[in-house]
Amino acid sequence: MRVAVINYDRCNPDKCGHFLCERVCPVNRMGGEAIIIDEEDYKPIIQETSCTGCGICVHKCPFNAITIVNLPEQLEEDCVHRYGANAFVLYRLPVVRNGSITGILGPNGTGKTTAVKILAGEITPNLCSSNECWDEVIRAFRGNELQNYFEKLKNKQIKAIVKPQYIDLIPRVVKGRVRDLLKRADERGILEDIIDDFELREILDREIQQLSGGELQRVAIAAAVAREGDFYFFDEPSSYLDIRQRLKIARAIRRLAEQGKAVLVVEHDLAVLDYLSDNIHIVYGKPGAYGIFSSLKGTRVGINIFLNGYLPDENVRFRPYEIRFTKQSERKAQSGDILVEYPALVKDYGGFRLEADGGKLHIGEVVGIVGPNGIGKTTFVKMLAGVEEPTEGEVEWELEVSYKPQYIKADYEGTVFELLSKVNASKLMSNFYKTELLNPLGIPDLYDRKINELSGGELQRVAITACLLKDADLYLIDEPSAHLDVEQRLAVSKAIRSLMAKNEKTALVVEHDVLMIDYISDRLIVFDGKPGREGKASKPMPMREGMNFFLSNVGITFRRDPETGRPRANKEGSVKDREQKERGEYYYT
């Protein structure tokens, strides 16, 4: 079975010499019709039954607009929905169970949102035909766990509550105060409880348009939890939140399942997904072309299979390499040459005061920065970058510094390639940087795209790349995981570690994803204090000491998975959790 997909947003016949794909196709040149031209819409159409899958049109297209993949024939009967000829196709659907939380794990662009729209009744699946009829769908899922679900959905007996992925779009469609929004959403009579659980009391009288990303996320989740429904879907609920807030959100979502609700969660923070889910589905495929849901798996087994990159029950390898974490209780502290010693710093805004201990940074190391939101992490990094002036202390060094800010603005009018060429054209052409940075982050696929047309995740990857391409001694990277899926986060982590070690440079990385911090860091700077009022930054600590200090403040313990070495959060109050807290060992014993 062959699937051919054309990205018509990229396709530009006028600039490729008038349908280059049609002219180079061997089938067309021999008198056949594998690629035909829709003269009315002025676009090419690949006829999959005639296409031989040679790939010539894929490689010749100057805009990388064509994808052709060969899939097993048996998948054809599992086809759930296709958006049209040469458009994205989805195979299989996740299972929805009352009283259970099902996690979804996989790359962006592989159909997770499409599956949710189907389960929420927003899309009637067409089973990859022209027919859109619920009776046909119910018949196709006969004997499947979803049969009864679709019957109820057809009869409007299911109410779906959806927390969207892009919460930054909420202020465009929702106006008014936080208090009024939550009152309208409170169909379950739990307003006071969620205000306290989600730490919203101080922002109740603020306008929605005045909220930060983390505040918007908490309000959006609180509004979803407060509504009465049968099926709840949360799309990336941990974005913009610190680890303490992520765990509070996870507990609130778990309570929904305990009350008999069906819950589906898409999450890219593996520690949160592991802590939250009862079972998971892995989604794999080609982003923008097709997506396939795996069978339902236990959470631990499913995440380990994802890290292994191989589905044994389907005999499918969806990634050419395995991901493994350091199994030692801590990495050895750096003993190399010292790059710089920075002084104690103070920044006083009047209503907020940050005090940071001085410390030493070593050549070739990556130092992670952890702590709650609103505690001064970004302010600290800005002082080191020279963007903010300290109130006390002075950052005086002759180092070249490259800084990737937390919030990225798409204010460049050119293409990705033009921007990166301005940053460092020689590194952009270097085989070393292509191997270590550009190809793992999928940057060449974005070269012809306009910066102001990129999605949040694409813009993040470009910003990280621009930061790492600069010639610098010290790289300051603020929240690189935002908007990225799991594979992209791990690719970014691997690139940062590799470039610092091989180029003998140093990086400081602010991050909330515990797995990413564990994967990337040699040492830690830990922030403590009262968010929004005062913050205190430690000097760089060894990983074990830093993580124990940080996690003891959060009140959560982690252990290591024996197979992959990844950190796993212990359930609160479990035997393992109590044992580790009694010993004061919060970090991966």
Side-chain angles (χ1 to χ4, degrees), residues 137-145 147:
V137 173
I138 293 168
R139 195 159 27 249
F141 282 89
R142 188 170 51 242
N144 187 291
E145 288 184 74
Q147 180 185 357

Side-chain angles (χ1 to χ4, degrees), residues 432-444:
F432 172 75
Y433 276 87
K434 287 178 182 177
T435 302
E436 299 290 336
L437 177 65
L438 300 171
N439 292 337
L441 269 60
I443 300 300

Side-chain angles (χ1 to χ4, degrees), residues 449-556:
R449 302 275 301 280
K450 295 279 189 180
I451 293 291
N452 55 17
E453 295 175 354
L454 298 178
S455 68
E458 291 166 342
L459 191 62
Q460 182 73 272
R461 284 184 283 143
V462 171
I464 294 167
T465 302
C467 174
L468 294 174
L469 282 178
K470 288 180 182 177
D471 290 321
D473 304 297
L474 178 63
Y475 295 83
L476 305 173
I477 306 171
D478 199 344
E479 294 199 30
S481 73
H483 303 296
L484 302 186
D485 63 39
V486 178
E487 294 200 23
Q488 291 166 345
R489 292 180 186 196
L490 293 171
V492 166
S493 301
K494 190 175 180 181
I496 293 173
R497 280 202 64 83
S498 174
L499 291 176
M500 295 309 111
K502 293 179 180 177
N503 291 339
E504 296 187 334
K505 305 296 183 182
T506 304
L508 267 66
V509 180
V510 178
E511 188 50 62
H512 293 301
D513 186 328
V514 172
L515 267 80
M516 191 167 177
I517 279 291
D518 180 75
Y519 192 82
I520 202 173
S521 305
D522 296 298
R523 293 191 294 161
L524 282 184
I525 294 174
V526 182
F527 279 68
D528 191 19
K530 297 178 180 178
R533 296 181 184 178
E534 60 184 43
K536 174 73 174 176
S538 73
K539 64 181 181 181
M541 303 180 182
M543 278 295 286
R544 184 169 184 169
E545 180 185 345
M547 287 300 286
N548 265 320
F549 176 44
F550 170 59
L551 294 174
S552 64
N553 290 338
V554 178
I556 186 171

Side-chain angles (χ1 to χ4, degrees), residues 3 33 108 144 146 199 246 488 505 544:
V3 172
E33 289 188 330
N108 290 328
N144 187 291
L146 287 171
E199 301 175 351
R246 292 179 185 199
Q488 291 166 345
K505 305 296 183 182
R544 184 169 184 169

